[in-house]
């Protein structure tokens, strides 16, 4: 499915990309995977509210997620937990 779009009379890839960027794609809400939920639960069980400790824990946080990222994920996890399980939460 090839689209050819001419914006401003120009031809080529740049005008085509500019035109394509005008079409907004509807993204669905982000879902936390079951594995992500288990991972966050382990971090919260071990560290409680100490997000700085979670960020430094190389065993439970091997990808070294930042404090801000962990806070966001924990927030989504708490909302999902209140809803009763893994579900959809609109983020950002």
């Amino acid at each position: 499915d090839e689209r050819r779009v001419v914006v401003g009379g120009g031809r080529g890839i740049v005008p085509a990309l500019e035109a394509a960027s005008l079409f907004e794609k509807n993204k669905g809400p982000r879902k936390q995977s079951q594995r992500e939920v288990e991972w966050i639960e382990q971090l919260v069980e071990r560290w409680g509210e100490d997000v700085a400790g979670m960020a430094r824990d190389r065993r439970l946080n091997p990808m070294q997620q930042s404090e801000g990222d962990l806070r966001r994920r924990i927030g989504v996890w708490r909302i999902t937990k209140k809803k009763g399980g893994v579900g959809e939460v609109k983020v950002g």
Side-chain angles (χ1 to χ4, degrees), residues 7-25:
V7 176
R11 298 183 110 196
I13 190 73
V14 173
L17 289 172
E18 288 173 346
S21 71
L22 297 175
F23 300 106
E24 185 176 319
K25 294 184 180 180

Side-chain angles (χ1 to χ4, degrees), residues 24-40:
E24 185 176 319
K25 294 184 180 180
N26 294 331
K27 284 187 169 183
R30 184 182 178 284
K31 298 178 186 178
Q32 283 187 323
S33 68
Q34 183 61 39
R35 179 64 190 113
E36 184 177 356
V37 169
E38 293 168 1
W39 170 62
I40 293 294

Side-chain angles (χ1 to χ4, degrees), residues 29-90:
R30 184 182 178 284
K31 298 178 186 178
Q32 283 187 323
S33 68
Q34 183 61 39
R35 179 64 190 113
E36 184 177 356
V37 169
E38 293 168 1
W39 170 62
I40 293 294
E41 286 174 349
Q42 289 174 349
L43 284 168
V44 170
E45 184 178 312
R46 177 165 182 169
W47 292 98
E49 297 295 319
D50 184 9
V51 181
M54 293 178 195
R56 290 188 310 267
D57 189 329
R58 289 189 175 246
R59 188 177 65 81
L60 289 179
N61 185 14
M63 299 303 288
Q64 294 293 284
Q65 301 300 127
S66 68
E67 289 181 43
D69 185 55
L70 289 169
R71 273 193 199 92
R72 182 186 57 79
R73 290 173 190 255
I74 291 168
V76 171
W77 170 74
R78 286 191 174 127
I79 292 169
T80 304
K81 189 174 170 184
K82 286 180 185 177
K83 287 185 175 182
V86 176
E88 299 178 351
V89 176
K90 187 109 178 169

